[in-house]
Amino acid sequence: MAGKIENKSNIELGVVPTHIKFVGGLAPNEDGRLPRDEDGRIAVVAEMDRLMADCPVTVNAAQVPYFAGGNEDDVAEMINGLKELGLTVHLIMMVGGADPMNPDDEDAVAGMLVGGLEVAKQFGITNVSSTSFEEWMQGEPKTGDAFDAAVAQVAKVHARAYEEAKLADSCVEAWHIEFLRGGEFQTFTDAAKCFAGVKATNEIIGTNYFKVMVDAAHCGDSDLTIPENEKVIQEISDAGALGIYHASSKTTRGCLSTDDGWIGALLAAYAKTGNMKHVFVEIFHHEDPALEPLRNLDPGHGLDTTDGRSYTQATIDGVVDVTRRLNNLVTRKML
């Protein structure tokens, strides 16, 4: 292993281990059991152990998906195993089979969200995330009055989950909402639109508990330019709603070298706000069966950008790249 590289910032640096694939890596099977390595360890725990052993940077956190219906013993083994590696665990609550923008689906959506929040509380998790403003790759774009109605409904159902899970009196300090690119989402497809929903939710509960998670990849694939995203990031920060930052490449979602400048520009925008706390590196495997619909949407997602490396090494290289960027933001007194 190369010499150690110090993260000179006070930013929590983590990995979203999507590079091991949802199918066979992160998602439970039909019995709710989580995938395991050949040695019997939960796959994501084994991978984070390998990655951390070879990474010259200290990784502080792992952001892992939580699927409703996952085997309770396996979920406990996963979370405790990651904690034993010295990692802070973040949960991404996965919601499917119901439309958060549809009042008729409110009970189903709230139920799934509360279930994930109860798991977070059980294990002392302080930050949760979700892509729960709409269903993945479903529906039609909503604009005008229909968009306003969608904002009102997602705010209502998320505020309801907040109240039912009694988050105000819990260990969970913040709930980060992620928007996705057009095609993956149809309505909440950029930072400004996501902020509209988050702001409305915070107004209902009376506190800036909900945050906007900004993923550089989704920003790059949205209709907003880099300067427009920089402006929105500052507006979100000024409102007290700036959340986790994902360092991930637009379109390919592969090696960070394919990002065409978005990661660095928006990381600097985050730094300038003074409110950046968490940065996660996220790379997807170009052959993950679960993401075939995304490859059909944009063939660029199916490109192998590893340039001969393993996905573990490509992710490590991403962590190193982001650490250098953070350190130089410190040097330039932007952090």
Side-chain angles (χ1 to χ4, degrees):
M1 184 179 71
K4 296 292 289 182
I5 301 170
E6 178 188 0
N7 175 9
K8 298 176 183 177
S9 75
N10 62 352
I11 305 302
E12 181 183 70
L13 180 61
V15 167
V16 188
T18 43
H19 61 279
I20 67 172
K21 303 180 185 178
F22 282 96
V23 175
L26 296 171
N29 62 19
E30 63 268 13
D31 297 321
R33 306 310 299 252
L34 292 175
R36 293 179 180 271
D37 251 16
E38 293 179 359
D39 61 1
R41 298 176 77 190
I42 297 288
V44 69
V45 177
E47 170 60 12
M48 289 305 301
D49 195 6
R50 286 189 294 268
L51 186 150
M52 293 169 68
D54 291 339
C55 187
V57 178
T58 298
V59 176
N60 309 125
Q63 191 179 42
V64 293
Y66 169 77
F67 294 87
N71 179 273
E72 292 182 3
D73 291 338
D74 283 6
V75 171
E77 185 178 344
M78 174 184 72
I79 294 174
N80 290 329
L82 292 170
K83 286 183 174 183
E84 288 168 5
L85 296 177
L87 293 165
T88 298
V89 178
H90 293 235
L91 282 192
I92 309 172
M93 298 180 296
M94 311 300 286
V95 175
D99 180 3
M101 297 183 288
N102 185 349
D104 293 339
D105 288 352
E106 183 177 318
D107 289 347
V109 173
M112 283 184 276
L113 291 173
V114 171
L117 295 168
E118 292 297 339
V119 171
K121 289 164 56 180
Q122 178 185 351
F123 291 97
I125 290 170
T126 56
N127 284 271
V128 298
S129 302
S130 61
T131 56
S132 52
F133 272 6
E134 57 183 291
E135 286 188 278
W136 189 59
M137 302 191 81
Q138 300 291 325
E140 299 293 332
K142 299 182 186 300
T143 60
D145 291 345
F147 177 76
D148 293 341
V151 167
Q153 182 58 33
V154 297
K156 181 184 177 186
V157 71
H158 285 78
R160 172 180 166 179
Y162 169 89
E163 296 291 350
E164 290 186 1
K166 297 180 173 58
L167 292 183
D169 301 316
S170 76
C171 59
V172 183
E173 299 171 0
W175 184 344
H176 307 257
I177 303 292
E178 184 177 11
F179 63 95
L180 303 182
R181 60 173 292 176
E184 289 190 81
F185 273 6
Q186 314 307 321
T187 298
F188 293 95
T189 53
D190 64 41
K193 293 173 182 174
C194 185
F195 180 38
V198 165
K199 183 178 180 181
T201 311
N202 284 337
E203 287 173 352
I204 293 174
I205 65 173
T207 182
N208 293 326
Y209 188 89
F210 286 82
K211 311 293 183 183
V212 178
M213 182 197 297
V214 177
D215 185 310
H218 300 314
C219 290
D221 284 319
S222 77
D223 292 331
L224 301 184
T225 65
I226 286 178
E228 288 169 336
N229 274 287
E230 291 169 336
K231 182 174 182 291
V232 173
I233 285 169
Q234 186 62 57
E235 291 172 353
I236 295 169
S237 176
D238 291 343
L242 192 63
I244 288 167
Y245 179 73
H246 274 184
S248 192
S249 292
K250 71 185 188 74
T251 307
T252 68
R253 307 309 304 277
C255 177
L256 301 197
S257 65
T258 67
D259 82 309
D260 298 335
W262 284 85
I263 290 172
L266 299 190
L267 189 67
Y270 250 70
K272 290 174 184 175
T273 69
N275 287 319
M276 179 162 63
K277 296 180 180 179
H278 320 272
V279 176
F280 284 86
V281 172
E282 183 179 41
I283 291 176
F284 288 85
H285 196 295
H286 72 288
E287 294 179 326
D288 188 344
L291 301 179
E292 183 178 357
L294 188 51
R295 293 191 291 275
N296 294 336
L297 173 71
D298 188 332
H301 189 81
L303 298 176
D304 182 356
T305 65
T306 59
D307 199 25
R309 296 164 293 173
S310 68
Y311 266 95
T312 300
Q313 186 59 51
T315 304
I316 288 171
D317 290 348
V319 172
V320 170
D321 175 83
V322 169
T323 303
R324 298 291 192 194
R325 292 180 185 275
L326 290 173
N327 287 348
N328 281 310
L329 288 168
V330 171
T331 298
R332 296 154 65 196
K333 302 190 185 309
M334 295 168 65
L335 273 180

